Amino acid sequence: MTIKGTSDSTKQRRLRLGMVGGGRGAFIGAVHRMAARLDDKWELVAGALSSNPSVAVASGADLGLDADRCYSSWEEMAAREAARDDRIDAVSIVTPNHLHFAISKAFLEAGINVICDKPMTFTLDEALELVEIVRKSKLTFVLTQNNTGYPMVRQARAMVRAGMIGKVQIVRTSYIQDWLTTNLEATGQKQAAWRMDPKFAGTGGAIADIGVHAFNLAAFISGLELEAVSADLRSYGAGRSLDDNANVLLRYKNGATGSLWASQCAPGHNNSLTIGVYGDKGSLEWNGEVNDYLTYNEYGKPPQTITRGGPGADAVAGHATRMPAGHPEGYIEGFANLYSNAAEQIWARIEGRDPDALALDTPTVEDGAAGLKFITACVESSKNNSLWTSASL
Ligand SMILES: NC(=O)c1ccc[n+]([C@@H]2O[C@H](COP(=O)([O-])OP(=O)(O)OC[C@H]3O[C@@H](n4cnc5c(N)ncnc54)[C@H](O)[C@@H]3O)[C@@H](O)[C@H]2O)c1
């Protein structure tokens, strides 16, 4: 038994990673750092880790970064890193949503690859502009729609592509949490405060924060393109201007239909992401809280459970797997698969190979734009009494 993820001896060095956001008291930046370390392909060497310049510098020191690479702003970091011979190979962007576009643009224009968290941008216009910037740059852009990194999600996508459930007709997905059941933002809790403030989050609350994950997961597994949505967005928390609950009906271009429920005020649910994709020959069902298992229902036959690393799991899932079956993997490993795939693409560029030839399943800038279109369409539909609204790019 070999364990994937140890150093690749054909490479002469680890790729150099910089980070914007993710300083003291932040959430997802630490997850990105753990994920980047997991397969020994990356080393964090630079950061502009906070909106507060002194916290940014202190946070860099906490992580053992060289003092001259603890930057007090991301603008300074982009300019100074671009000028170095040992410049970072990629920047990881883990700030609140309102900054994703400006930071992505600055680093891409400085010739630096980008790994950015979701939602990709603040507005749809920014997303469309970023698509053009990435295409022109010929650099790697990876969007951390991290659920696409789970082995059993990749397995499900491969099974749909192989025709194992026939023509997809129905998609049902939900992403529900309960941490915003009360007005946590009123207590000043950092993550709640910006997520419920349109100046930092954008036009969507729960729909942009987690609905976009459910949307992306449905697109990734089913392979379907969305045509239109009918959305009912609500704020149950008093005084909120952004939604904390969203019920959305979906129409896909191939005639399939679906439903999506995103909620941050569903008591009893910590982080429940589930999906079912139903075709004319069978269906696939997955639950993110028990992510090592995928249920395959071939019509007329008893259900089968496919286990990560077990019989029936194919090469696509195997490529995203480190531990033998039964040793649980999870959230960090899913992110790590995206970091590993990003490294493979960047090495291909460094070595003059075509990164697209690797055919990796990492979410792209186009996927990010589709996410912004989904969010925008849901907000618009809901404002118009759930009118069916185009969600097609
Ligand atoms: N993929 C996922 O599962 C997932 C999960 C959580 C968050 N996210 C996304 O990650 C991003 C961050 O979310 P979070 O929960 O970690 O937020 P957070 O509030 O915990 O952290 C944000 C960090 O960004 C920093 N920041 C803000 N302005 C900055 C600036 N001008 N320069 C440098 N740093 C700056 C803050 O100081 C803080 O360190 C959001 O876009 C969110 O949607 C994704």
Side-chain angles (χ1 to χ4, degrees):
M1 169 64 61
T2 55
I3 295 179
K4 224 189 74 182
T6 48
S7 296
D8 181 342
S9 58
T10 63
K11 304 287 180 272
Q12 292 164 14
R13 65 176 176 87
R14 291 186 179 136
L15 292 174
R16 292 180 289 266
L17 183 66
M19 180 169 278
V20 180
R24 288 178 181 175
F27 169 45
I28 207 68
V31 173
H32 281 246
R33 291 194 293 272
M34 288 185 250
R37 278 204 294 269
L38 205 60
D39 297 321
D40 286 330
K41 292 180 180 169
W42 294 96
E43 181 183 6
L44 185 76
V45 298
L49 298 164
S50 171
S51 54
N52 176 320
S54 59
V55 176
V57 171
S59 300
D62 290 349
L63 297 172
L65 302 183
D66 285 348
D68 68 334
R69 295 179 101 171
C70 297
Y71 299 103
S72 54
S73 77
W74 57 267
E75 291 93 335
E76 183 197 4
M77 177 171 157
R80 287 196 22 213
E81 283 295 320
R84 294 179 72 110
D85 290 339
D86 63 347
R87 55 161 51 182
I88 50 173
D89 294 290
V91 66
S92 168
I93 302 171
V94 287
T95 64
N97 311 345
H98 66 302
L99 293 169
H100 293 181
F101 172 73
I103 302 171
S104 296
K105 182 173 189 288
F107 280 88
L108 288 164
E109 289 178 352
I112 293 168
N113 301 291
V114 170
I115 299 168
C116 182
D117 219 313
K118 48 50 64 179
M120 185 172 81
T121 55
F122 197 61
T123 66
L124 177 59
D125 282 350
E126 287 178 351
L128 298 176
E129 195 179 334
L130 193 55
V131 169
E132 295 310 317
I133 293 169
V134 171
R135 286 181 184 161
K136 203 170 129 203
S137 74
K138 308 229 179 316
L139 292 166
T140 292
F141 182 94
V142 171
L143 180 72
T144 49
Q145 292 280 183
N146 57 297
N147 300 297
T148 64
Y150 286 109
M152 288 297 98
V153 167
R154 292 186 175 185
Q155 169 82 22
R157 173 178 166 99
M159 290 173 75
V160 172
R161 282 180 164 182
M164 292 178 73
I165 63 167
K167 180 174 187 253
V168 177
Q169 300 181 147
I170 305 158
V171 176
R172 178 209 53 75
T173 183
S174 67
Y175 196 160
I176 56 174
Q177 307 175 329
D178 66 5
W179 69 295
L180 295 177
T181 298
T182 60
N183 282 38
L184 190 59
E185 62 273 29
T187 68
Q189 202 266 8
K190 186 182 171 74
Q191 284 76 23
W194 72 255
R195 278 177 171 78
M196 281 297 152
D197 185 338
K199 288 198 296 297
F200 302 101
T203 55
I207 194 70
D209 197 37
I210 54 174
V212 77
H213 274 308
F215 157 74
N216 172 264
L217 183 67
F220 185 78
I221 294 179
S222 71
L224 299 182
E225 272 182 70
L226 201 55
E227 183 175 74
V229 293
S230 164
D232 188 341
L233 273 48
R234 303 281 165 138
S235 313
Y236 288 107
R240 279 185 185 151
S241 59
L242 293 179
D243 60 282
D244 50 27
N245 190 80
N247 285 301
V248 187
L249 292 177
L250 312 165
R251 282 183 187 156
Y252 288 96
K253 287 184 181 169
N254 78 332
T257 56
S259 62
L260 183 153
W261 177 30
S263 183
Q264 293 179 311
C265 53
H269 290 274
N270 295 323
N271 195 64
S272 171
L273 173 62
T274 62
I275 186 161
V277 180
Y278 306 87
D280 59 5
K281 292 189 185 144
S283 69
L284 288 160
E285 294 172 319
W286 181 79
N287 176 346
E289 288 183 334
V290 282
N291 71 84
D292 272 355
Y293 304 99
L294 175 67
T295 304
Y296 174 42
N297 305 294
E298 198 179 349
Y299 179 64
K301 296 197 178 158
Q304 295 177 41
T305 301
I306 301 172
T307 308
R308 177 186 56 75
D314 69 12
V316 168
H319 189 63
T321 294
R322 291 168 190 76
M323 289 294 144
H327 297 273
E329 293 191 357
Y331 191 60
I332 307 287
E333 288 87 345
F335 267 94
N337 287 331
L338 299 190
Y339 269 89
S340 196
N341 292 163
E344 290 173 55
Q345 291 174 46
I346 292 168
W347 271 114
R349 287 185 198 283
I350 293 171
E351 293 169 352
R353 292 178 283 117
D354 176 10
D356 294 337
L358 297 168
L360 296 171
D361 270 338
T362 41
T364 61
V365 71
E366 287 83 6
D367 294 326
L372 262 295
K373 181 71 189 178
F374 165 76
I375 296 164
T376 309
C378 288
V379 171
E380 195 184 320
S381 166
S382 188
K383 277 189 187 149
N384 290 306
N385 199 25
S386 309
L387 186 73
W388 280 99
T389 301
S390 170
S392 155
L393 270 179

